[in-house]
Amino acid sequence: MSVTTATDTLLDGTHTVLTPEYVEFRFTLAGLYSRFLAWLLDAVIVTLLTGTILTTLSLVMFAFPGFASALSIVIYFLVDWGYAMTLETVWSGRTVGKRVMSLRVIQESGVRIGFYHAALRNLARPVDRLPLFYLVGGLTALVSGSQQRLGDMLAGTLVVRERRLKVPSALGTPGEEGLLADPLFVSRVKRLSSEEREVVLTAALRREELRMEARLRLFAALGARLQDALAMEKPAHLSDEKWALLVAAALLPRKGQSRSTPPRRQTA
C-alpha cells in the first residue's frame, strides 16, 4: 500500500491509503484541539486511578514517608503508560478520551494498531510532554504535515477522526428470498473470519465514496475472494458488487434477532 497526506488546514488534514488495487481510502486527521481534549479527559482518569491506588497503599507509604514521594511518581507513570497501552491495544486504538472525542489511533497503512505500536507511541510520551503540556509533541505535530507527534513518528501511527457510517437500508433490511433465505449460504457467510467480515462490511459501507473505476476493481477482487472463502460460485446473474452486498446483508442481524457487536476494523 502507498500512503499520502494532504493538509487542508492548520488543524486538520487528510491521510489517503492507496491499496494494491488502486482503491483509495481517506482518513481525516485529528486536529490538535480535539487531541488535547481527549488527553485532558484521559489525564483526569489516570489521576483518579493513581489516587485510588495510592490511597490503598497509604499505610505502607505512611510507614516510609521518605519513600512515598518517589513511589507516587513511579505509580503515576506506570498507570499512565499502562492505561494508554492497554486500552489502545484492546480497544482498537482508542482510550476513553479518544472515544468521547471520536478519535482513533491507526497505523499509517490504515489498519488497526497492535501492542507494539501502542507501546512505542506511549513510551515516547515523556519526551513529547516536554517541557509542559505536550509542547514538544504539539510543535512536532504542527510541522510534521501529518499531525504526528514524536511517538507517532516512532511507531508509524496516526490519530484520525472516526466517521459514523450509517448502514444503508438495502443492507439493513434484507429480503426473505433468494440466497439470503438459503441456510447453506448464510451458514458459510457466518463462518467468515473477522478480517474477511470487516473487508466486506467496509467495502459495502464506503462504496459510494469511490470513483467508479476504483469501485469496479475493488468489487471484482472482493467477489473472487468471497467465492474462494465461501467455496461457492457467484450466481451468473449477479454483479461482483451485488454478490458482495448480499454477503454483507447476511452478516447483519435479521429482524427479530439481537444485534451482535460488529467485528473490529483492521483493513482500510
Side-chain angles (χ1 to χ4, degrees):
M1 289 186 182
S2 64
V3 298
T4 59
T5 302
T7 303
D8 299 321
T9 67
L10 182 62
L11 296 181
D12 295 288
T14 300
H15 179 74
T16 301
V17 176
L18 183 64
T19 70
E21 293 80 19
Y22 297 99
V23 177
E24 290 184 353
F25 288 102
R26 296 179 182 271
F27 299 89
T28 301
L29 297 172
L32 295 184
Y33 180 68
S34 59
R35 291 178 67 173
F36 177 77
L37 291 180
W39 167 79
L40 194 61
L41 177 56
D42 287 329
V44 171
I45 294 173
V46 167
T47 301
L48 292 176
L49 288 175
T50 303
T52 302
I53 295 174
L54 292 178
T55 300
T56 304
L57 298 175
S58 59
L59 293 178
V60 176
M61 296 174 65
F62 180 77
F64 302 95
F67 184 61
S69 179
L71 181 61
S72 299
I73 295 174
V74 170
I75 288 178
Y76 175 81
F77 278 103
L78 288 177
V79 173
D80 187 29
W81 281 330
Y83 166 85
M85 287 183 197
T86 301
L87 286 186
E88 287 182 358
T89 300
V90 304
W91 211 5
S92 301
R94 294 175 297 181
T95 59
V96 174
K98 289 185 179 68
R99 180 176 176 84
V100 170
M101 298 304 300
S102 297
L103 307 180
R104 182 190 297 271
V105 182
I106 62 171
Q107 295 184 48
E108 291 176 333
S109 60
V111 301
R112 186 178 65 179
I113 66 170
F115 175 76
Y116 171 79
H117 307 91
L120 280 181
R121 73 185 305 273
N122 284 290
L123 287 174
R125 283 183 183 276
V127 179
D128 277 316
R129 285 171 172 165
L130 294 175
L132 192 66
F133 292 116
Y134 278 91
L135 181 59
V136 170
L139 290 176
T140 304
L142 281 176
V143 301
S144 69
S146 53
Q147 311 291 352
Q148 291 174 296
R149 60 177 178 83
L150 292 177
D152 289 315
M153 291 180 179
L154 180 64
T157 57
L158 298 162
V159 182
V160 300
R161 292 185 178 276
E162 288 192 288
R163 287 181 293 180
R164 305 300 180 185
L165 296 175
K166 184 178 180 181
V167 178
S169 58
L171 297 181
T173 55
E176 298 296 333
E177 57 185 9
L179 282 175
L180 291 176
D182 183 353
L184 177 61
F185 172 73
V186 174
S187 66
R188 292 189 179 185
V189 169
K190 297 297 185 182
R191 289 200 297 266
L192 290 174
S193 67
S194 60
E195 292 83 2
E196 290 168 332
R197 293 184 181 202
E198 293 195 18
V199 169
V200 172
L201 291 174
T202 299
L205 290 173
R206 290 189 164 178
R207 67 191 190 279
E208 299 296 341
E209 302 175 12
L210 305 176
R211 291 190 293 268
M212 183 55 63
E213 184 180 357
R215 184 168 172 174
L216 291 173
R217 280 197 299 263
L218 172 64
F219 281 102
L222 183 56
R225 178 173 174 179
L226 287 174
Q227 290 186 77
D228 293 336
L230 299 176
M232 294 180 68
E233 290 290 332
K234 176 178 70 71
H237 67 283
L238 292 179
S239 66
D240 291 316
E241 181 170 339
K242 183 62 175 177
W243 166 244
L245 293 181
L246 283 171
V247 174
L251 289 171
L252 296 175
R254 309 293 290 275
K255 290 183 178 180
Q257 294 181 341
S258 60
R259 185 178 181 84
S260 58
T261 302
R264 293 173 178 169
R265 183 174 179 270
Q266 296 190 23
T267 57

